[in-house]
Amino acid sequence: MGVYAAYNELDEARFIVSKIKAWFEQGNALQDCAILYRNNAQSRVLESELNIQSPRIPYRIYGGMRFFRTSRNQRCIMLLTHCK
């Protein structure tokens, strides 16, 4: 886990996708990866970057409060908020 100060939203999306690709190339499963973001406006650039990769990185979008109310995701969010 780390902190990356992106120049803009495109730089941020490219950084995230590069980390996912590197993680996958180390033998990890894409289905074990998640990108959490605060609102759907942030998804546009991320989706674009995921789609232009060769090969394309498959993804699914889950939304709504129910996603964030699951105990697994609440624990994850609590852990991330306490990491500095």
Side-chain angles (χ1 to χ4, degrees):
M1 188 176 295
V3 176
Y4 177 75
Y7 179 71
N8 57 31
E9 62 188 9
L10 181 57
D11 181 43
E12 178 183 51
R14 287 179 176 163
F15 175 78
I16 292 168
V17 171
S18 73
K19 289 295 193 178
I20 293 169
K21 285 178 66 175
W23 188 72
F24 178 67
E25 289 167 358
Q26 292 174 357
N28 298 293
L30 289 175
Q31 66 194 31
D32 294 334
C33 181
I35 302 171
L36 301 177
Y37 50 85
R38 192 172 179 100
N39 62 50
N40 284 342
Q42 294 172 289
S43 72
R44 184 185 57 80
V45 178
L46 281 166
E47 288 183 72
S48 177
E49 286 301 307
L50 291 167
N51 281 317
I52 64 172
Q53 295 302 309
S54 181
R56 181 184 164 277
I57 298 175
Y59 63 92
R60 278 188 274 180
I61 296 176
Y62 298 96
M65 288 300 291
R66 288 175 290 176
F67 173 78
F68 291 104
R69 291 186 190 259
T70 64
S71 62
R72 181 186 339 173
N73 293 329
Q74 284 181 341
R75 286 192 307 267
C76 181
I77 292 168
M78 187 171 26
L79 173 67
L80 292 173
T81 57
H82 287 71
C83 294
K84 292 187 179 184

